[in-house]
Amino acid sequence: MSQPGKLGFRQIASQIRQEIVNGVYPPATVFPAEPVLAEKYGASRSLVNRAMQVLAAEGMIRPRQGRGTLVTYIPPMLHSPARYSREAREGGQARGAFDAEVRAIGLEPQHEITTERAVPPDDVADALGLPPGEENALVRRRRLLASSIPVRLNASWFPLSIAEGTVLEEAGPVIVGGVKSALAELGYPQTEATERIIVRPPTDAEAEALEISPERTVLDIFHVGKTADQRAVEVTTTVTPAHYLVIENSFPLA
């Protein structure tokens, strides 16, 4: 039990942070008001407010105008090759690996999806082997949430010659197993993928969509999926707050 008047704002933040991680305040729940916390920790509201600012900057909580403060901490999800297996993507009728991962931590996956035929960025066109500067791709954009907490921004690009008029153009979470299962059903099963992962600050638009501080860092993942004949049929870019993922890879050593 804390001693009244003895805690600084960093100590208060540390104790609250530990309680959030331990599940005292579960993800996507409304956090106690500052007067309640001030009484609990025997501290002034100004100290509690400074502690809350620290936690908000870390992505543990998010103040909402007129609606209280939401707990936005989510246990980090493992990003490894295993997540792309058919079993992981389709288990329990999941709409891809993200659905299964979010349900595994007790939260509800949500999808905001738009699709359009578009000119792909040069790096995407190059990866897909498409002529640059032409409207020759379909892009499926997704904002992925866990119980209303924005977690990822995805954009999946496909050659229009493959995706035109298919389920990939449907703007809804209708694909069991996600886009890899859809491509397999269309005759383009993937056997190999490469990923490039960088850490960077978010753009203003990304920070707004993910509802994070512009000072946070994000992981930018560039994923290319190929068929057995080495044809690239999918490029998916993912932007996610860095604290939401643990990256794990295995590879042979010469």
Side-chain angles (χ1 to χ4, degrees):
M1 189 73 181
S2 61
Q3 298 180 5
K6 299 296 184 181
L7 297 179
F9 76 93
R10 295 190 188 279
Q11 293 169 301
I12 295 171
S14 178
Q15 290 197 19
I16 295 174
R17 185 185 302 111
Q18 195 59 51
E19 289 183 326
I20 291 174
V21 171
N22 290 342
V24 176
Y25 306 111
T29 60
V30 177
F31 201 68
E34 288 184 9
V36 175
L37 295 171
E39 182 176 356
K40 175 178 180 178
Y41 293 105
S44 67
R45 285 191 60 180
S46 62
L47 278 180
V48 169
N49 181 265
R50 291 183 70 186
M52 298 284 276
Q53 290 177 29
V54 170
L55 295 169
E58 294 174 356
M60 303 291 286
I61 59 175
R62 183 176 73 244
R64 302 175 301 171
Q65 188 67 35
R67 294 186 294 164
T69 296
L70 188 73
V71 178
T72 52
Y73 168 79
I74 295 175
M77 289 177 274
L78 181 65
H79 185 86
S80 73
R83 75 184 300 271
Y84 295 112
S85 70
R86 195 177 190 102
E87 181 181 6
R89 300 193 320 267
E90 298 182 359
Q93 295 294 293
R95 267 61 176 171
F98 176 81
D99 267 30
E101 291 162 348
V102 169
R103 289 198 179 106
I105 59 176
L107 300 177
E108 182 64 27
Q110 298 158 306
H111 308 246
E112 296 175 357
I113 300 175
T114 62
T115 67
E116 64 175 321
R117 302 174 187 188
V119 177
D122 287 348
D123 57 347
V124 172
D126 182 62
L128 290 173
L130 298 174
E134 298 181 13
E135 189 179 292
N136 51 21
L138 173 76
V139 58
R140 186 176 178 86
R141 302 185 193 276
R142 306 183 294 286
R143 189 171 81 131
L144 304 177
L145 305 93
S147 295
S148 299
I149 301 171
V151 177
R152 293 180 197 170
L153 305 176
N154 280 5
S156 292
W157 296 82
F158 318 98
L160 194 56
S161 60
I162 291 175
E164 185 175 11
T166 73
V167 69
L168 292 168
E169 286 202 276
E170 294 188 31
V174 296
I175 306 172
V176 173
V179 299
K180 291 191 182 303
S181 292
L183 285 165
E185 291 295 322
L186 292 170
Y188 302 95
Q190 297 177 36
T191 61
E192 178 184 325
T194 60
E195 287 187 344
R196 180 198 68 208
I197 303 173
I198 63 174
V199 180
R200 61 170 174 81
T203 65
D204 290 344
E206 290 166 347
E208 182 178 0
L210 291 168
E211 299 178 8
I212 59 173
S213 165
E215 285 72 40
R216 299 296 299 168
T217 56
V218 294
L219 297 177
D220 183 329
I221 304 173
F222 190 90
H223 173 102
V224 182
K226 298 179 180 180
T227 59
D229 61 359
Q230 291 296 294
R231 180 181 180 182
V233 293
E234 172 206 348
V235 170
T236 292
T237 61
T238 299
V239 177
T240 183
H243 59 288
Y244 283 160
L245 283 188
V246 172
I247 309 296
E248 181 178 272
N249 285 312
S250 60
F251 41 84
L253 298 175

